[in-house]
Amino acid sequence: MTATARPVPDPASLWSSNDRAIEMARAILGSVDAPVGLTPKELIWRKNKARLYRYVRTEPATHRTPIFLVLPLINRAYILDLRPGASFVEFLLSQGFDVFLIDWGTPGDEDRGLDITTLVTRYLPRAAKAIQRATGRDEMTVLGYCIGGVLASCFAALHPAVTRNLVLLTAPLDFSDAGQFGRMTARGRFPVERLTDTFPTVPAQIPDIGSKLLNPIASYVGTYVRLWEKLGDPTFDVSGWQAMYRWVNDSVPFASAAFRQWIVEFYQENRLARDILEMDGQPVRLSAIRCPVLNIAASRDQIAPRATTSIVTGRVGSSDASEILIEGGHVGIVIGRSASQNLWPRVGAWLSAHD
Amino acid sequence: MTKAEGSGQASDPFETWRQLYDANERAWSAALEQAMGQPEFGEASGKLLETMLAAQKSVRGNMRTYLETMNVPTREDIAGLGELVVGLEEKIDQIADRLDAIERALRTRPAKKAG
């Protein structure tokens, strides 16, 4: 009887694979404590869970107009100050700007009635007042990211005297063709009333799963395949990957009234783009935004698809409205090497020219 | 590729996993995208979510009844207290806003002549 020899696995390859698997587990598990948001800042105003921070400057600002960063409600605010060397805030400080950021915090059950109108009409104006007191300047540049961009637009429309410039970073304003998110949240299909009636705050996992379902294979498998590949590269910066992984998986719950308003008034009824949005009895119109506007959009954005971000320049009442269209996705254009080399300097130049 | 490398890769489950992913990712993503783009997907996921919410609501209701029977504060009771504090903070903010407005008005009003 003759036996066919089976290929013997190469032990060296098996051990190196084993090592890399352990490194992978360490990278993923260690991301929970990845250092993020390290730029020094001081608290200058607070209301409920919201906190307004002023980033500490070692030298006086060289630009007159302070920058007010308005962050999304469902993500942690440290995305714009991810880590040293990959921080938009750090870049703005290096360019001589006085930078303020509103962090919405984590809503609790007691915030079930907190809606977007309240945030725009009660929180943002008071935060802006705190900036005025801190800087002695009446006007500021309002810069909003994603949902924060929608809030910033509403604020700019209602408070033209305060808003010197408006900068929007991947902010969806027109939901007539909101892509997969629009289909998922369509009236009659998405049980928004039952969801917000059941939970005082919509669990972070629900919008998070929605985002990941936009590209499920890449989100649930690709992330780990790419990590596996990169761990084989000795120059790979694990701490950078961990910071980003931490942010992606560190979502915050959505106060149910805010979530209901976001889905019904923005996604389903598209009130802002249709000029029928009202907040506290006041009409909120894009045409009321008369300050210089810079709209930054991503070409492959699935969360805020191009159709949702493209109307801004044509609809605002400003004669100075421009757009930067960047090749990339929703988060990638804001953070990362290409952002620091391409987008940030262009935004910095625009802000300097509009100081 | 040497013989050793070839046999090593074949025996490495992670490498196999990576190759499988690279070879099929586009096709899988395209198929899923197409499936999720159908109105039926939206309807099915909506119904699934609705069923889960009904179960969740029932659990919450039962828990509330149980805690009330045991004379233990429920989440709603504690949230109610929190709401009162948040409401109070808003009232203080409104008073501060009014004081600011009065201060501004006084500053801009021309000073009365003495005598």
Side-chain angles (χ1 to χ4, degrees):
Chain A
M1 197 167 100
T2 56
T4 314
R6 298 184 65 181
V8 179
D10 173 21
S13 161
L14 270 180
W15 280 119
S16 102
S17 173
N18 186 47
D19 281 353
R20 216 197 285 189
I22 291 169
E23 273 178 55
M24 190 163 156
R26 284 174 61 183
I28 294 166
L29 297 173
S31 67
V32 179
D33 301 318
V36 288
L38 297 178
T39 305
K41 55 186 184 287
E42 55 183 4
L43 180 69
I44 64 157
W45 174 87
R46 61 193 288 175
K47 179 173 171 61
N48 193 2
K49 316 294 185 307
R51 303 281 182 276
L52 178 72
Y53 295 103
R54 181 185 204 171
Y55 285 92
V56 176
R57 294 193 54 80
T58 46
E59 291 159 11
T62 53
H63 291 96
R64 288 174 306 167
T65 313
I67 298 177
F68 180 19
L69 303 175
V70 182
L71 274 291
L73 305 174
I74 52 167
N75 302 112
R76 297 286 174 194
Y78 57 78
I79 183 62
L80 296 186
D81 181 30
L82 195 61
R83 63 197 196 97
S87 162
F88 184 51
V89 167
E90 192 184 61
F91 169 80
L92 291 173
L93 290 173
S94 74
Q95 298 297 301
F97 292 102
D98 201 355
V99 184
F100 296 81
L101 176 144
I102 191 161
D103 179 350
W104 298 109
T106 307
D109 285 9
E110 64 278 14
D111 299 313
R112 68 179 310 153
L114 183 66
D115 60 7
I116 291 175
T117 296
T118 307
L119 298 177
V120 170
T121 61
R122 302 263 190 276
Y123 284 61
L124 288 181
R126 287 175 182 144
K129 222 179 247 180
I131 295 173
Q132 289 171 330
R133 274 197 299 272
T135 59
R137 302 279 176 196
D138 288 336
E139 294 182 319
M140 60 199 70
T141 293
V142 183
L143 189 154
Y145 175 45
C146 188
I147 303 177
V150 181
L151 270 60
S153 301
C154 296
F155 174 79
L158 293 173
H159 299 276
V162 176
T163 318
R164 184 177 178 84
N165 304 300
L166 175 66
V167 180
L168 301 174
L169 262 173
T170 62
L173 296 182
D174 177 11
F175 297 87
S176 54
D177 177 14
Q180 182 64 14
F181 257 159
R183 287 189 287 277
M184 280 185 203
T185 55
R187 191 187 292 277
R189 285 185 202 155
F190 186 66
V192 64
E193 293 300 334
R194 187 180 274 270
L195 181 63
T196 52
D197 188 42
T198 304
F199 294 111
T201 57
V202 174
Q205 292 89 340
I206 290 180
D208 185 49
I209 289 172
S211 305
K212 285 179 177 157
L213 279 180
L214 295 174
N215 202 348
I217 302 287
S219 302
Y220 289 109
V221 186
T223 305
Y224 306 102
V225 173
R226 297 292 159 244
L227 174 62
W228 170 259
E229 276 175 357
K230 285 174 184 167
L231 284 169
D233 176 359
T235 63
F236 174 53
D237 176 15
V238 182
S239 56
W241 184 91
Q242 286 180 315
M244 198 63 217
Y245 186 80
R246 176 179 171 175
W247 182 78
V248 167
N249 292 288
D250 191 15
S251 303
V252 275
F254 217 131
S256 46
F259 186 78
R260 191 184 314 118
Q261 190 178 8
W262 178 239
I263 298 298
V264 175
E265 295 189 10
F266 290 87
Y267 268 92
Q268 294 179 347
E269 298 176 356
N270 196 19
R271 289 192 188 186
L272 182 59
R274 289 170 58 214
D275 282 342
I276 53 169
L277 181 67
E278 285 196 4
M279 287 185 167
D280 258 1
Q282 303 171 78
V284 182
R285 303 287 177 264
L286 289 172
S287 57
I289 300 171
R290 298 208 169 81
C291 63
V293 175
L294 176 64
N295 182 43
I296 301 154
S299 62
R300 293 196 309 272
D301 195 335
Q302 290 182 301
I303 293 169
R306 188 70 188 106
T308 64
T309 59
S310 60
I311 64 158
V312 183
T313 47
R315 293 287 300 280
V316 292
S318 170
S319 55
D320 179 359
S322 51
E323 184 170 81
I324 299 176
L325 181 63
I326 300 281
E327 187 66 25
H330 190 71
V331 181
I333 71 154
V334 181
I335 212 79
R337 198 175 297 137
S338 69
S340 60
Q341 288 171 356
N342 182 12
L343 180 63
W344 299 352
R346 291 168 75 180
V347 176
W350 189 91
L351 290 170
S352 298
H354 292 81
D355 188 34
Chain B
M1 187 188 287
T2 65
K3 203 172 177 181
E5 277 173 329
S7 62
Q9 279 191 1
S11 66
D12 181 347
F14 289 97
E15 185 55 33
T16 313
W17 172 53
R18 192 187 68 80
Q19 286 172 358
L20 190 71
Y21 176 82
D22 283 344
N24 298 294
E25 189 266 332
R26 277 176 190 232
W28 290 341
S29 291
L32 269 177
E33 198 177 321
Q34 200 185 1
M36 290 193 302
Q38 304 294 318
E40 289 80 6
F41 173 80
E43 275 170 35
S45 59
K47 277 181 191 161
L48 179 68
L49 183 58
E50 210 158 322
T51 312
M52 286 164 59
L53 291 173
Q56 178 71 28
K57 198 166 188 178
S58 162
V59 170
R60 284 183 167 236
N62 290 339
M63 184 57 76
R64 189 171 48 240
T65 310
Y66 172 73
L67 291 173
E68 279 167 0
T69 313
M70 300 297 287
N71 280 328
V72 176
T74 63
R75 280 180 76 129
E76 283 84 352
D77 293 331
I78 295 164
L81 282 175
E83 268 178 67
L84 287 175
V85 176
V86 173
L88 198 61
E89 190 186 36
E90 172 59 26
K91 281 186 182 162
I92 293 169
D93 282 342
Q94 286 177 5
I95 293 168
D97 287 346
R98 285 186 173 204
L99 285 174
D100 277 352
I102 292 167
E103 261 184 17
R104 245 195 332 270
L106 285 174
R107 251 186 269 128
T108 51
R109 208 167 68 169
K112 275 187 185 173
K113 282 180 187 171

